[in-house]
Amino acid sequence: MNPRYQQSWKSQTKHMVVLRVLLWLCITILSIAGPCLFLDFISRYSMTTRHWFLFIIYIPLNAVLVFGFAQALFGFYLVMTQSEMRQISQSIYLSLSKTEQKHLNLSSKTALLFPVYNEDTSRFYAGVETTYRALKKSGHLDAFDIFILSDSTNPNRWIAEEEHWLSLIQKLDAEEKIYYRHRFKNLNQKSGNISDFCRRWGSNYDHMICFDADSLMTTETLLSLVLMMEKNPQVGIIQTSPRIFQGETLFARLQQFANRIHGEISSAGLNLWQQSGGNYWGHNGIIRMAPFIKYCTLPALPGNSPLGGRVLSHDFVEAALIHKQGYEIWLAHDLEGSYEECPPTLLDFASRDRRWCQGNLQHIWIALFGEIPFANRTHMINGILAYLSAPLWLLFLLMSTLLTYSFYVSNLSLLSQPSKLAIMPESIMLHGLIILSLSFVYLFGPKLFTIIRLLIDPAFAIRFGGFLKASISVLIEVVFFSLLAPLLMLFHSAFVLGTLIGQKVQWNTQNRDSQSHTSLTSALAAHGGQTLVGLFWAILAGIINPFLFFWASPIFLSWLFAPLLSIITSHHGLGLWFKKQDLLLTPEEVKPCKEIKLLEKILSKREKIETPIPELVPHQGLIRVALDPYVNALHYGFLRPRSKQQPLTQKRFEHLVKDLILKGPDSLSSEDRWHLLNDSRSVENLHNTLWKTNSSKLCPWWSLAISRFRLSYS
Amino acid sequence: MDTLVLVEDQISSETRNNAFTRVDGILRAYGIEDRISRSHQVLKILEEANLYCYDDTDDLEQVAADLALKQIDATLKKIAAQLDIPPDTTQRRRLLLLLHTSKLLQRKPEYLLSAKFLPQSEVELLLQYRLTQGPDLQRSTMGNPTLDFSDIDNITHTYQQMIRFIPGAQYILASFMVIMLIYLIYLFSR
């Protein structure tokens, strides 16, 4: 190891300590100064209950902005001065060359986990194949095993996953390297899926790296993560900073551009304050197996769902639990090769946020009452405030509008008292503008840092298509997100309210299909209420005071044109148009790494599967298991052998098989069909009995299925 | 073929066609791609099935399908013995997968219904194709949760039970929130 790195890694430099103190000082001072200025401002009218109420709402709103701004400010300083930051990657050599990669001597064994839940099978397996092929090429495949952990509840997806697994291991000759496991019941969803792996096979491995269904990591990153874990036994989790990629719709491209161009600065700031008290984001991170198994059992939260019961957003809690036992958690933000995809449309994004909102609000219990380290409590409070700030902002806007209204209907003239702060101007208007400007600085300052960086650092600008194109892209991104933010605020407010009054969240599969844009009907259904709110509010503001209308017009515009914005940003064609103009470009598009190229190659070579006729589509998986002896044998092999089945249960299953064949699949409930597909005896029985049943006795649906099945072979 | 001709008068051509289609479908599904070879094997099975059926009241289609599946099963048992693996259902299903992955039936379709033993070279080839659906289990137990909310949990449960006990408590809570909002609107607009 480089001795210089080793030395800086072992202890914090004086410079680092000063910077960290300064960062916290900055957060504290700005979090206090903002509300003080605001209090001074509103007290110049008169302090009534209404004003105190407004002041109380302002405190957390200001704090959220300050935290993000301070993080970006210090991140900007670190990135621009290339200061010697203490980061986990210093414990190894970064940028392993091909020769260095080949000569690495990994002494540990790592499981690569690919949880899947009703996802697009071919896209999912393309990710697995890319990872496998890249690892094999690196010569370090022996140090890894791949596990596909399926929780799919859609039989069609489930059977397709099994078939894909078989063809993949045949194609790659990857027996005993890529394993597939399906759970009968997806108890505790993703966290339950991972725990199940830990209980079955976890102790065979030193580490695990969890992927998302759409994530990708380069070999260099995987090897670096393992190496860092081997060199630092005190580390429990290393989280990478996933870059968003493969965005095609305008919405996804805006997200991926923002994540990519501003991400490095904010990650550097985040790493500065959190250091060894980092967080886990659920995927694209490496975990030390033994302490995870020992300490990361999730607690049951007080009360019932939605706020209590089972922990939904398990990642933050797991990080807290492992950190509590003295293990360090680091953010390896400088590792480039870690990617994930983004929901293609605003509605998909909002639907994901609905789940995250409930998960983060649940953390209130742990943040308030759990014995966890300070850093983890800060992460949780940040997460909670990310959603709680939406209804607070809405309330703040509502109260401000009503205050203005009450002033105008009172017909009183404005008699303001002088400011209590000597530095503040005499004009109350100017005073108000200063406070507003401060909020704008917090909001748009980080964007300005990026533009400055683009100007100063040409190498950085080239990665995004050059200074001019990248700066224009930042402006486009700022305009779009300024319009999208009020929409998200209304969504988040509804989610928070929904969670608080007991609405539970459904764990649906995330839509990752960028070709299906938002229809007018769905846009109106989702945003109709927001448009009405915008219309009503705009009229009210216009009546009260044109000045108020003018100031709040960006928010009204966003709400009024919400359906249009949602449809426009969901378009694949528009996203590609921006790409053709070299706008919203990311380094992965300018110069993709070999793994992304490989993934794209695999995706482009995907075989086009012939779509079955509509009548057969809903039960395609069942048809494959029932008619194809090899799919049947494969599926049978994955099921638990039933050696001791109760005679009554056996009889019931036999009856179900008979009904299924003679009356068709719709005669059975989906639950019964699910149970049949999970019973090995029934699966074998179904295949044999179906082929043996006289065609005159078969229900017409099966006759059709058999004839189409025969056709598929001819 | 002779037998088929002999009973032709008693069994309608529709019944025979149905039986042919079904057995042909089974053999195709099992991977016998070559049409000539498949037809030859189908006719052999139908010939045998005819011995059990005398007229249309006997289910030729079912008997023939049953015969085909039984013969396939017998072949699997025989190969299992050659490979020295137990002949139970689970192993036979695994063996079937081996035949598929090794593409043995694509190369030598006659072995699916043949009484002949596989040549040693094929046996060795089959042994190379092993499918492992998961590594050996290494059971471990997740530790006990280190965060405990039992005290708060009691309070929360009592509160939730109380809410459930009072009819319409949720609506009362929602109404309270609405009233608070209306009050705020009033407070701010007066």
Side-chain angles (χ1 to χ4, degrees), chain A residues 117-156:
Chain A
Y117 176 72
N118 297 335
E119 300 285 347
D120 171 6
T121 321
S122 55
R123 164 63 187 89
F124 171 77
Y125 274 95
V128 178
E129 187 177 343
T130 307
T131 310
Y132 180 88
R133 280 185 189 276
L135 271 174
K136 194 171 183 184
K137 207 173 170 192
S138 76
H140 291 284
L141 191 61
D142 287 347
F144 298 89
D145 277 341
I146 293 177
F147 285 84
I148 295 160
L149 306 173
S150 172
D151 253 358
S152 294
T153 49
N154 176 339
N156 292 352

Side-chain angles (χ1 to χ4, degrees), chain A residues 586-605:
Chain A
T586 59
E588 285 66 42
E589 290 169 335
V590 174
K591 198 181 170 193
C593 65
K594 62 178 192 302
E595 280 81 359
I596 293 181
K597 281 185 197 164
L598 182 60
L599 177 72
E600 281 168 358
K601 199 172 158 187
I602 293 168
L603 285 172
S604 67
K605 281 187 178 171

